[in-house]
Structure formats: structure tokens, C-alpha cells
Amino acid sequence: MTMAQNLSPTTAGSGSASAPAPVPGATHNADDRLVRVGRARRLFMSAEFGSAAAAVIVFIGFSVLAPAFASPAGVGNFLDPAATLGIMAVAVALLMIGGEFDLSAGVMTGSTALVTALVTTQLNTNVWFGMIASLVFAVVIGLLNGILVHRTKLPSFIITLGTMFMLWGLNYAVTSNLTHQVTVSGLAKYTGFEAAQAVFGSSVGGFQISLVWWIVLTVVGIVLLTRTRIGNWIAAVGGNATGALAVGVPVAKVRIGLFVGTAVAAWLVGQLTVVRYASATVTTGIGAEFNFIIAAVIGGCLLTGGAGSVLGASIGALIFGMVQQGMPLAGLPSELFKFFLGAILLVAVFINLYLKKKSQAVRS
């Protein structure tokens, strides 16, 4: 049971001692309704089921249109982009469940990669030092976003939109002034790169190590959201921050922590990128923030906050990767990719609203 449910005046099926005794001759519609809500119905109404079913349909569809899609090479082809997107989808899903958005998350992946590359090459230092400096940078940006959103009470959409443009401008200005170009390369020749490559740029079983990071973070996110008090707090803040504060939830810490978590996830994606290609460019991550949100919404996150699924968001990232890589194999015009993303987003929003109404009807 989430904290958000605890804040409601009644909970269906609680069986508390204060529940009114049954009245002879009264109808038992409420009890009958509760009996019908079994595991199967809860499964069909879950966000994970909808996104998983969609993933299966997409996989089968592209496999029929292009048999190479289902080959080991084809699977690795769509898991590669899905992994980095999935890492961000996990963090963004938690943030959206907490009722907030971070439009700077996409540019942040590029900013952290640039900080690592610039610190390493300009100071002629160890790659790991550049990574630590980049991590500090990410945490500071996350703290600023969270504190500004919490203190000013302005929509996170506005705050992080401003952060996005500031980072975007800094990426271009700093990089071009220091290197006289928009790409920082040559990272492979600096000390510590081989060790960094083993952690962020190697392959495991023929797949990029980003897949391992994605799986680990998805498991951590699921446990955090569904098995810890912090998960209850996140859902409570997203559902009703005022009510959550009234029952002792540390709203400020939760809200700021979620923004820091998103920034750290962006740092991780930035390191996976800069180490893999041994370079960083100012255009990395621009516009990717919308892909993160789409993946989270496909996975069942409501735009209003208070509900969502980390596993569903990861499946949403998987669907994104399959569509992105499957369309060229199936001979479909790549220009239609954005069209399909928009269509998937709209369908996911409608399904999420339908499931929310059904869930509220069951609990009433």
C-alpha cells in the first residue's frame, strides 16, 4: 500500500476494526465488487501489462516484416539505444511519479560528457578525475533544479526549461572557446581510460555494458518504489504534496532528491557515451528529454503524478528502441519515426487515463 493510499479516508478491503457491521437485508454490491478484483484483473489493469503487451506486439510485427530483426544481431541492435534511454526512463519515471518534470535531462547527458572530456583534456589529468568533476557538476545542477522548484513553487516545467537552455548555451560557448570546435576528442590517450572503458564502454556477451547498467538500475528503481518507505513518499508527494506534508513526509527532501537522481542518471548516460566514443559533442542529448518522458508515459506514468511504474518505463524504452531500429529494417520511412512516437504517446495517455478511472471505480 502506498502512502498516497494511506492519505485517502478509506481503503477498499482494509478490514479495519472500525469498519461498519453489515446491515441485515442490505445489498452487498461493494463486497461483490471486491471479490471480483482478483489477481488476474489487477494484472490486466496494471501499467506493466499494457506496455509489455505492446512490446510483444511490436516485436512480433517487426519480426514478421523483417526476420533479421529477431536475430541475435537484430536484438542487440535495438537493445543498444533502449539501454541508455531506459536508464533515463527509470529516473524520469520516479520524478514523474513524484509529480515533477525535468526538461534539462536530455541536454544534461551531453553536458556531463563534455565536462568529463574538457576537464580531462584541458587539465591533462586522469579520466576518472574528469568523471568525478562531471558527477559533482551533475549533482549541483540537480540540487539547483530541486531547490528552485520547491522554494519558488513554480512549475518544474518552467524551471527546468530555463536550465535546459542555459546548459545548451554553455555547452556551445565553453566548448567552442576552449577547443575552437564543437567536439572534444582524443580521450583515449589519457590515463585511466582503459579502466573507465571496462566499466562504461565494454561489452558483455556481445551486448554493450549499458544493458547491464540498465537492468541493475531498473531493479533498484523497482525495489525503491515498491518495497521502501521512500517509494511511498514519492507516490504521496506526487499524489498530494500538501496531504503528504501533513502526515510527516519530508516533501522537500523527496522532491530535491528526485531531481538529483535524474541528474545522476544523466551523468551515467553521459559517461557511457563519452567513454564508448572517446569523444563528446555539444549536440548530444538535445531533444532527448521528450523521449524520456514518452518512455515513462508508455510505461504508465501519469502526467499529473502520483502513479506510475519503473518496470513499465523500462518496457517503454524497449518499445522505443524496437521502433527506432525496426522501421529501417522493415523498409518504412525513417521520417515516420516521430509520427509513431507521437501516436504511441497519445495511445498510452488514453490507456493510462482509462486504467486510472477503472482503478478508482474499483476502490470506490
Side-chain angles (χ1 to χ4, degrees):
M1 181 181 297
T2 64
M3 179 67 73
Q5 289 171 323
N6 288 334
L7 296 175
S8 62
T10 59
T11 302
S14 61
S16 62
S18 59
V23 179
T27 61
H28 297 283
N29 291 337
D31 293 338
D32 291 340
R33 187 164 58 247
L34 291 174
V35 170
R36 289 196 298 269
V37 182
R39 292 183 178 180
R41 184 172 179 181
R42 286 198 300 269
L43 174 63
F44 286 121
M45 291 176 61
S46 68
E48 294 90 347
F49 179 83
S51 55
V56 171
I57 293 172
V58 170
F59 180 80
I60 293 175
F62 281 122
S63 298
V64 171
L65 293 174
F69 180 81
S71 67
V75 171
N77 198 34
F78 68 70
L79 284 180
D80 190 14
T84 50
L85 175 62
I87 291 171
M88 289 305 304
V90 168
V92 169
L94 290 171
L95 183 65
M96 290 179 64
I97 294 169
E100 307 294 347
F101 294 93
D102 188 352
L103 295 184
S104 67
V107 176
M108 178 69 80
T109 62
S111 296
T112 52
L114 283 170
V115 171
T116 297
L118 287 171
V119 169
T120 302
T121 58
Q122 294 297 309
L123 299 181
N124 193 24
T125 187
N126 192 292
V127 173
W128 288 97
F129 180 81
M131 288 183 172
I132 294 173
S134 179
L135 178 59
V136 172
F137 171 80
V139 171
V140 169
I141 297 299
L143 283 171
L144 288 175
N145 279 338
I147 291 172
L148 285 174
V149 169
H150 183 73
R151 292 289 181 88
T152 65
K153 308 302 179 185
L154 290 171
S156 54
F157 178 91
I158 297 299
I159 297 293
T160 58
L161 182 64
T163 305
M164 179 190 76
F165 279 105
M166 288 190 291
L167 290 175
W168 192 350
L170 282 175
N171 289 350
Y172 273 94
V174 174
T175 304
S176 60
N177 275 278
L178 289 177
T179 66
H180 304 291
Q181 52 188 356
V182 294
T183 300
V184 184
S185 56
L187 198 67
K189 66 182 182 181
Y190 290 87
T191 57
F193 181 79
E194 290 185 2
Q197 193 174 40
V199 177
F200 297 106
S202 59
S203 60
V204 179
F207 299 100
Q208 286 294 317
I209 199 170
S210 55
L211 178 62
V212 177
W213 281 105
W214 177 27
I215 294 172
V216 170
L217 289 183
T218 299
V219 172
V220 171
I222 291 172
V223 173
L224 178 68
L225 186 63
T226 63
R227 296 285 184 253
T228 69
R229 180 182 297 179
I230 296 175
N232 290 339
W233 289 348
I234 292 172
V237 171
N240 184 349
T242 303
L245 185 62
V247 296
V249 174
V251 174
K253 291 181 179 179
V254 171
R255 190 171 281 152
I256 294 171
L258 288 172
F259 278 103
V260 172
T262 304
V264 171
W267 169 83
L268 175 57
V269 172
Q271 306 321 293
L272 290 168
T273 303
V274 72
V275 171
R276 179 175 180 179
Y277 299 107
S279 64
T281 182
V282 297
T283 57
T284 300
I286 296 175
E289 59 278 349
F290 297 110
N291 298 338
F292 308 153
I293 294 173
I294 289 173
V297 172
I298 291 174
C301 290
L302 297 178
L303 298 176
T304 54
S309 166
V310 168
L311 177 59
S314 283
I315 297 175
L318 179 63
I319 293 173
F320 184 99
M322 287 194 293
V323 173
Q324 184 182 43
Q325 301 300 318
M327 287 182 63
L329 288 176
L332 298 175
S334 58
E335 293 79 9
L336 287 177
F337 176 61
K338 297 296 183 182
F339 170 83
F340 279 110
L341 280 186
I344 292 172
L345 175 62
L346 288 177
V347 171
V349 169
F350 293 143
I351 291 176
N352 291 343
L353 288 176
Y354 172 78
L355 293 177
K356 180 182 179 181
K357 291 180 180 178
K358 281 292 184 180
S359 178
Q360 290 174 340
V362 167
R363 290 198 298 267
S364 63

